[in-house]
């Protein structure tokens, strides 16, 4: 019998995260204080973030950062996750490529998001915080953090993008079952929310708006910190457990990836699977390609501009160096809610600029076509976000079929789609369409966001 | 770090199922031809079931039945499943008991049902069948079989209990995403369905009715076989992979269960976790208790009568020896749809009669209370069915707290509840109630089903 899964015992759960900042030839740009234009120090962020997260955000010296034992203990309920050889998909495609996926969908929250949720909740608790707050789009991050908060005894308030709150009641229920308090955003509970509702009473919300609301709650509430599920450096750091495990598992499989693929929203799962392998490009002469797969409807990496921009709509965050579509970009209502964010994190942005990674944009219909093929050949219904990584994988595998090359492709199955079945329903019924953002759309939106593309970094 | 999960490599996937029939001191009663009252032979069932399944149904001699290599290969996409120590639940209960659960929720279909679906689909394909048909209540079985049918290249038609079809659209979508054809039952596509709709146009369906429809389709369609997800001996047989793995994993944990618990609908998951351990009660002097946890609203084991009854509403099946509430029993619309069946399988019935196993009934509110506690302490939201096993586990663990006994309790987490979040929603909102079936209700319903309790076996 051919080996299907490559497993590691929980004793092999990594003891440290990989901090790529220490190894990057060009370091990521620092976050700026929007008032002064000065780079932020960790202390400047202590009021908002757990302090250890703020320090990790700016750590450019330590290649490895130890994972607290209490976090590893919580990881052990689902890690190490399986590395799986996708024989069924390979056969259906008739490709000579070897396709592997890292299966983060086995996490109890159904996605990779728990890897950072547990770390952030742990640090918050250690530092005496009693309450945390966050935003969530599709609800994967909110669900993961709800369990993490409960696991470490914290109260959690989640601002959930209104359209998701209404379209994804199961995600809301998951958060509530874990004990979190969930509010649809924009809400009347914050000034940022009120301002938006005043101007646009039917506003359906966005991640950028929900971030503004959560940040405002954290700033105005004692003992309350803000945590988030993607974009920032420390979140990408926590997700490197994915790639660190995958490295050892590829070794068990006797292969090394020629191509590593992750879907791309803010960067957390893409960074998680990619960065640990990237260091072997830096140091060990490997030539692995890293492909970030983003939706054509929110194409910051492929069509955005590398600028300092706000991370949220209200402009509460520091200015971050990102490939951005402009902080007031309003993405189409695609089902891959986790990919509907206007900018990329600073680490990924610099790596893209420096040519260490690539990006590809995927149409919504292509993503579901690939996801459905994956479901029928591998048995797992992927999250709409993960479908983008699968579509990029299919494309590369079919290229191999053309050229006859037997490449080894590894992608991250960031989550399952069991709570997103209405999306598949609509796909099967033929009710979904593609949304394509053009260069012209991007320029118009940058202008509306007071951004000047000629100032690209 | 305390070890949380006890894992086995896929090379340890069992090579044979355990057939308890070979070891039972009193064999299960044989199915009867309702017209002649004569016991059925395997050949009598070939027209309906895959032939190998019919032979397994009546096999009382072979203690182990080999698992085909092609089935083991499909198992390898998710097996061996983890055995997990529930430290979080133990701590929350303050119990000296050690609680373990076998986590079948990591199956791609989200429950244990795939274990038998793959086997039945394989045999059907091997024997030249092109189409299979089945019924599904909550949709766990239908979802699993949809993938299994696709995996072995079969067309599948599913009759889904109408109320579930409407209340659980995600389950329907899962089946359709895997490529199955799903019809709400009762339907106008069969005589059985038409008869029911004629008599009761608003009939919301039941498993018994859906079985009638699927059976009728199989009997009237060439190259089409009927398969089902519980009750029958061969289904319980296929599920023994659960307990066979758990045996080895408990050994890794250095313990042996004093109590084994499974929720109970028709018997498949309860048998799966229990029967392999039961043989050590038969032969090795073990004194493990086996507890089947059923809903108070459908209490066939605790309040039903041991009789020959039909497996379906229309009376198409052979007569089966079961603890039954009467084949026309209409269960309350509890959320544990998989447990809403009027009778127990013949193996479990005989084991209960002979005192080898016990049964306990669980109120709906107690089941969700236990399930929510489990979610918050272990991170996994359990299926409403599995909540019954958890509630029985909590009861035993609290008994240990009283007596100070450090018992080892093992339960089967048959599935996750991510596709059942509307049930948790209603529980959290306080909208759920208990339904209790009394002895008097049972007697009335037996009379309506033309059954005479004085003829108990």
């Amino acid at each position: 019998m051919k080996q299907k899964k490559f497993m590691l015992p929980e004793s092999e759960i990594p003891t440290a995260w990989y901090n790529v900042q220490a190894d990057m030839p060009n370091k990521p740009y620092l976050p700026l204080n929007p008032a002064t234009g000065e780079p932020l120090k960790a202390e400047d962020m202590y009021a908002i973030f757990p302090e250890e997260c703020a320090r990790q955000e700016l750590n450019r010296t330590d290649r490895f950062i130890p994972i607290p034992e209490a976090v590893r203990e919580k990881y052990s309920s689902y890690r190490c996750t399986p590395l799986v050889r996708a024989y069924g998909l390979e056969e259906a495609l008739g490709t000579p490529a070897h396709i592997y996926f890292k299966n983060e969908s086995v996490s109890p929250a159904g996605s990779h998001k728990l890897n950072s949720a547990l770390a952030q909740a742990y640090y918050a608790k250690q530092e005496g915080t009693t309450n945390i707050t966050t935003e969530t789009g599709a609800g994967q991050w909110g669900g993961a953090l709800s369990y993490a908060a409960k696991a470490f005894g914290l109260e959690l308030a989640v601002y959930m993008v209104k359209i998701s709150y209404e379209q994804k009641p199961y995600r809301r229920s998951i958060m509530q079952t874990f004990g979190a308090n969930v509010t649809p955003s924009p809400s009347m509970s914050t000034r940022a929310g009120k301002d938006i509702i005043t101007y646009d009473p039917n506003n359906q919300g966005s991640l950028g708006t929900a971030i503004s609301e959560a940040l405002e709650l954290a700033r105005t509430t004692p003992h309350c910190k803000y945590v988030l599920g993607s974009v920032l450096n420390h979140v990408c750091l926590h997700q490197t457990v994915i790639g660190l495990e995958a490295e050892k598992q590829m070794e068990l499989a006797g292969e090394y990836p020629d191509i590593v693929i992750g879907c791309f929203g803010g960067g957390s799962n893409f960074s998680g699977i990619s960065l640990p392998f990237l260091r072997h490009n830096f140091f060990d002469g490997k030539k692995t390609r890293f492909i970030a797969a983003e939706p054509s409807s929110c194409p910051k990496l492929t069509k955005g501009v590398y600028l300092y921009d706000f991370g949220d709509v209200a402009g509460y965050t520091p200015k971050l160096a990102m490939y951005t579509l402009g902080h007031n970009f309003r993405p189409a209502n695609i089902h891959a809610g986790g990919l509907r964010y206007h900018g990329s994190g600073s680490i990924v942005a610099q790596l893209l600029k420096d040519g260490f990674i690539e990006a590809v944009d995927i149409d919504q219909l292509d993503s579901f076509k690939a996801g459905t093929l994956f479901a029928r050949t591998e048995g797992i219904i992927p999250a709409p976000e993960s479908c983008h990584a699968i579509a990029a994988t299919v494309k590369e595998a079919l290229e191999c079929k053309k050229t006859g090359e037997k490449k080894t492709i590894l992608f991250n199955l960031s989550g399952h789609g069991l709570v997103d079945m209405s999306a598949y329903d609509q796909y099967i019924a033929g009710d979904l369409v593609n949304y394509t953002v053009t260069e012209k759309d991007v320029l118009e939106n940058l202008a509306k966001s007071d951004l000047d593309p000629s100032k690209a970094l």
Side-chain angles (χ1 to χ4, degrees), chain A:
Chain A
M1 199 168 82
K2 294 180 294 189
Q3 192 170 351
K4 175 82 179 157
K5 298 189 305 305
F6 300 87
M7 306 292 290
L8 294 170
E10 60 193 57
S11 55
E12 294 276 355
I13 294 171
T15 53
W17 294 297
Y18 171 60
N19 179 26
V20 76
Q21 292 192 77
D23 291 337
M24 287 168 70
N26 297 313
K27 304 299 176 195
Y29 284 95
L30 291 169
L32 302 181
N33 179 326
T36 65
E38 289 298 307
L40 291 180
K41 299 199 189 67
E43 306 87 271
D44 300 329
M45 298 188 275
Y46 287 178
I48 297 296
F49 296 110
E51 297 181 7
E52 178 58 23
C53 294
R55 287 189 291 271
Q56 291 174 353
E57 186 67 18
L58 302 183
N59 186 326
R60 296 156 170 241
T61 46
D62 300 318
R63 179 173 291 161
F64 285 95
I65 294 177
I67 303 176
E69 205 53 21
V71 174
R72 285 188 78 226
E73 199 170 292
K74 297 293 178 195
Y75 279 171
S76 72
S77 73
Y78 63 104
R79 305 208 73 84
C80 301
T81 63
L83 178 80
V84 187
R85 174 83 182 267
Y87 291 112
L89 181 62
E90 288 174 20
E91 198 185 326
L93 296 172
T95 179
H98 290 190
I99 303 175
Y100 292 84
F101 61 93
K102 180 73 169 161
N103 187 1
E104 291 293 306
S105 80
V106 301
S107 137
S111 84
H112 70 294
K113 293 290 187 188
L114 202 48
N115 299 329
S116 185
L118 288 167
Q120 295 190 58
Y122 168 78
Y123 289 128
K125 182 69 181 184
Q126 282 299 102
E127 296 168 11
T129 299
T130 55
N131 290 57
I132 55 178
T133 180
T134 197
E135 75 292 333
T136 197
Q140 289 190 338
W141 168 246
L145 190 64
S146 297
Y147 168 58
K150 182 57 70 178
F152 288 110
L154 294 162
E155 293 297 317
L156 169 64
V158 181
Y159 289 93
M160 183 173 190
V161 174
K162 190 181 270 174
I163 188 160
S164 297
Y165 186 91
E166 283 157 10
Q167 284 183 348
K168 297 182 185 261
Y170 280 27
R171 294 270 191 210
R172 172 182 51 70
S173 308
I174 289 171
M175 293 185 258
Q176 290 168 335
T177 298
F178 284 132
N181 194 316
V182 188
T183 305
S185 165
S187 77
M188 297 299 277
S189 71
T190 65
R191 167 178 286 262
K194 274 186 211 161
D195 283 353
I196 288 166
I197 291 171
T198 304
Y199 170 79
D200 176 10
N202 294 317
N203 190 292
Q204 292 298 293
S206 71
L207 270 178
T209 300
I211 293 174
S212 297
E213 293 208 83
L215 268 171
E216 186 177 324
L217 182 72
R219 292 200 311 192
T220 56
T221 311
H223 311 297
C224 178
K225 291 286 175 84
Y226 168 72
V227 300
L228 92 174
S230 192
V231 181
L232 295 186
N233 301 343
H234 66 275
V235 183
C236 298
L237 171 76
H238 302 154
Q239 293 295 351
T240 59
V241 286
I242 302 171
L244 290 166
E245 287 178 9
E247 246 191 286
K248 291 189 196 171
Q249 290 166 308
M250 289 301 302
E251 225 174 286
L252 290 180
E255 307 216 48
Y256 191 88
D258 299 302
I259 305 174
V260 173
I261 297 173
C263 62
F264 194 88
S268 82
N269 107 85
F270 172 75
S271 298
I273 189 79
S274 298
L275 301 181
F277 288 100
L278 178 61
R279 79 185 197 278
H280 301 298
N281 278 23
F282 287 153
F283 300 117
D284 307 325
K286 296 289 187 189
K287 293 189 165 23
T288 301
R289 291 171 56 208
F290 299 91
I291 303 175
E294 64 181 6
S296 309
S297 56
C298 195
K300 56 234 162 201
L301 295 178
T302 53
K303 298 213 180 80
V305 180
Y306 193 16
L307 289 165
Y308 266 109
D309 192 7
F310 290 110
D312 69 324
V313 168
Y316 287 163
T317 69
K319 289 225 174 183
L320 302 169
M322 15 169 82
Y323 277 86
T324 182
L325 302 167
H327 60 269
N328 71 7
F329 176 73
R330 289 168 69 172
N333 287 328
I334 59 163
H335 283 280
L339 309 186
R340 294 169 75 249
Y341 184 69
H342 67 277
S344 70
S346 299
I347 288 176
V348 167
Q350 190 59 42
L351 292 172
L352 181 67
K353 167 85 175 169
D354 290 342
F356 289 112
I357 66 168
E358 308 163 36
V360 62
D361 61 331
I362 306 284
D363 283 337
Q364 176 158 261
L365 290 176
D366 287 342
S367 75
F368 278 104
K369 186 180 172 194
T372 303
L373 178 66
F374 182 79
R376 292 180 181 186
T377 53
E378 293 294 326
I380 305 171
I381 298 178
E385 291 82 3
S386 313
C387 288
H388 290 73
I390 298 171
T393 299
V394 166
K395 208 177 143 197
E396 294 295 331
L398 291 177
E399 191 58 32
C400 288
K401 187 177 179 177
K402 239 185 255 167
T403 63
E405 285 174 292
K406 207 171 122 180
K407 288 189 182 161
T408 299
I409 306 174
L410 166 66
F411 75 88
N412 194 34
L413 182 72
S414 58
H416 65 62
L418 293 179
V419 195
D420 303 282
M421 292 313 301
S422 60
Y424 281 89
D425 243 17
Q426 290 177 39
Y427 172 67
I428 290 170
D431 291 343
L432 292 187
V433 295
N434 288 330
Y435 301 92
T436 306
V437 168
T438 65
E439 314 274 357
K440 186 164 156 278
D441 296 334
V442 174
L443 290 177
E444 281 174 15
N445 197 68
L446 290 174
K448 278 189 223 156
S449 304
D450 290 322
L451 293 170
D452 179 354
S454 73
K455 295 197 179 147
L457 299 167

